[in-house]
Amino acid sequence: EFAAIEGLMDGRTQIKGFSQADLADGQPSVVNFWASWCGPCVQEHPLLVALKVKTGVRIFGVNYKDQPVAARRFLGRYGNPYTAVGADNSGRGAIEWGVYGMPETFVINGQGIVVYKHVGPISLETLEAKIIPAVEAAKAAK
């Protein structure tokens, strides 16, 4: 369970956190671990926006060991492709997910099971050759 980042707003609505149940509701999704202090996260961010536009998949963000104000500033500057954003202030969630470093991205099927894991920043090549096909396969497997 990832609680919402304190004060994280999109316009005037509070952006909620998410739980394992949100990832197992029959719809595929993507979980992306990121931080405002992570240079590669800045590089990959436009590709997450493109993924959302291209596939319509829900993307859940996990903000890792970050300051809420810095996370808000990051999303304000680079855009917010996330359906929900949870905070992993202690790093415990990243350990449970087996995350090695920032950023890391997971494609989750409708049953909440990881079907693809990408370590490091997403490149355009990885997006088109690995991530989008994994999302489409997860959609087809309903």
Side-chain angles (χ1 to χ4, degrees), residues 26 28 62 90 98-99 104 109 113 134:
V62 179
S90 69
V99 170
E104 215 159 287
N109 71 14
I113 298 165

Side-chain angles (χ1 to χ4, degrees), residues 7-30:
L8 187 58
M9 308 288 276
D10 184 5
R12 270 183 262 151
T13 27
Q14 174 76 23
I15 297 174
K16 61 184 178 70
F18 66 97
S19 68
Q20 186 62 34
D22 293 314
L23 302 177
D25 67 356
Q27 297 179 66
S29 52
V30 169

Side-chain angles (χ1 to χ4, degrees), residues 99-134:
V99 170
Y100 296 101
M102 297 301 111
E104 215 159 287
T105 304
F106 301 81
V107 177
I108 313 295
N109 71 14
Q111 289 71 53
I113 298 165
V114 174
V115 294
Y116 179 76
K117 175 181 179 177
H118 182 77
V119 177
I122 296 168
S123 66
L124 185 57
E125 184 181 29
T126 307
L127 182 71
E128 292 176 351
K130 305 276 188 197
I131 309 255
I132 289 174

Side-chain angles (χ1 to χ4, degrees), residues 44-102:
E44 86 166 358
H45 204 74
L47 296 170
L48 292 172
V49 174
L51 174 64
K52 174 93 172 171
V53 170
K54 213 167 200 175
T55 66
V57 71
R58 303 172 309 161
I59 303 175
F60 293 91
V62 179
N63 184 242
Y64 178 78
K65 291 187 176 180
D66 212 345
Q67 297 297 319
V69 68
R72 286 193 304 270
R73 194 176 302 125
F74 181 97
L75 295 176
R77 177 179 294 167
Y78 301 111
N80 184 1
Y82 302 116
T83 300
V85 181
D88 185 11
N89 297 326
S90 69
R92 181 118 189 98
I95 291 168
E96 289 172 6
W97 278 71
V99 170
Y100 296 101
M102 297 301 111

